[in-house]
Amino acid sequence: MKNRLKLIILSLLSLVTLSSCQDVGEYISESITKKLVPNLGSFLTQLAALIVLIIGVIVLGYKPIKKMLNKRQDYIESNIKEAGEKNKEAEINLKQSREHVLSCQKQAEEIIFEAKKQANLERATILEDTQKDVEEMKETAKKQIKESEEEAKENIRKEMINVALNASSELLKRNVNDKDNERLVDDFIKGIDS
């Protein structure tokens, strides 16, 4: 019940307030109408100022900004195009570099192969020359040995002849002539060789 009573009191107060506000409401609506619809001179002045302001913004602000933005766009597009060209050029250079490296590797392999081949040829030549030298040394040594043997045989033969002559002179107590000496020596040597 208290709530109802409060509601009734509030409703009465609202009605009283509304009746006094009616005068105020008329004043406010007149003020709002004057503010919403200005006088014609003021309106035209404000409209002219707005048009001048829009033209100023377009001429002083929009066109230079648009021109600057277009330049910036052209600069960025040219940089992108240049970067694309440089990228293609770099790819071509990379491909050429790879081909050059492969070519150099092939040349190096060929050089190494040729060097090994040349080294093997030189080794074979050196071995062949060494073998020839060894064979020549053997032949020379054989000749020297044979000559030494012949010389030794000749020396032994002469020594044997001298011994045989001395022995035969002693035995015969006479001098034997050269023919007899040679015959005796030859017989003696034949006897030794057999």
Side-chain angles (χ1 to χ4, degrees), residues 7 17 19 32 37 48 54 62 73 83 107-109 113-114 124 132-133 149 160 174 178 180 185:
L7 223 122
T17 328
S19 64
I32 289 175
V37 180
I54 291 172
Y62 179 73
Q73 182 179 2
Q107 286 178 352
E109 288 173 1
F113 177 76
E114 287 298 320
K132 285 179 183 177
D133 289 344
E149 282 180 357
M160 287 173 43
R174 68 175 177 104
D178 288 336
D180 291 335
V185 170

Side-chain angles (χ1 to χ4, degrees), residues 22-176:
Q22 231 175 13
D23 293 333
V24 173
E26 283 178 20
Y27 173 74
I28 290 174
S29 68
E30 255 180 54
S31 172
I32 289 175
T33 306
K34 283 183 184 179
K35 287 184 181 177
L36 284 178
V37 180
N39 67 14
L40 189 59
S42 173
F43 175 73
L44 290 176
T45 306
Q46 287 180 358
L47 182 64
L50 179 65
I51 291 172
V52 168
L53 181 65
I54 291 172
I55 291 172
V57 166
I58 289 173
V59 170
L60 297 175
Y62 179 73
K63 284 186 178 179
I65 289 173
K66 186 175 181 181
K67 187 176 179 182
M68 183 184 71
L69 289 176
N70 285 338
K71 282 183 182 178
R72 181 72 179 160
Q73 182 179 2
D74 292 342
Y75 174 75
I76 291 171
E77 286 175 358
S78 70
N79 280 348
I80 291 171
K81 186 177 179 181
E82 186 178 326
E85 290 171 1
K86 286 186 178 181
N87 191 20
K88 287 179 184 177
E89 186 178 321
E91 287 176 5
I92 290 170
N93 287 341
L94 179 63
K95 185 178 179 181
Q96 289 174 348
S97 296
R98 286 182 179 163
E99 289 172 357
H100 184 69
V101 165
L102 288 175
S103 172
C104 289
Q105 284 178 342
K106 285 180 183 178
Q107 286 178 352
E109 288 173 1
E110 288 174 7
I111 289 170
I112 290 170
F113 177 76
E114 287 298 320
K116 285 181 180 179
K117 185 178 175 181
Q118 187 64 30
N120 286 336
L121 287 174
E122 287 181 21
R123 182 176 153 240
T125 304
I126 290 170
L127 286 175
E128 189 176 307
D129 290 345
T130 305
Q131 189 67 27
K132 285 179 183 177
D133 289 344
V134 168
E135 289 297 323
E136 287 176 6
M137 290 174 144
K138 282 182 181 179
E139 289 298 319
T140 304
K142 284 179 183 179
K143 285 179 184 176
Q144 287 177 351
I145 291 171
K146 193 171 188 177
E147 288 173 0
S148 295
E149 282 180 357
E150 292 295 324
E151 189 178 317
K153 282 182 182 179
E154 185 62 31
N155 286 338
I156 291 173
R157 184 173 172 259
K158 287 180 183 176
E159 191 64 35
M160 287 173 43
I161 290 171
N162 286 337
V163 169
L165 283 177
N166 286 338
S168 65
S169 313
E170 279 296 316
L171 286 173
L172 298 174
K173 292 287 183 192
R174 68 175 177 104
N175 248 350
V176 181

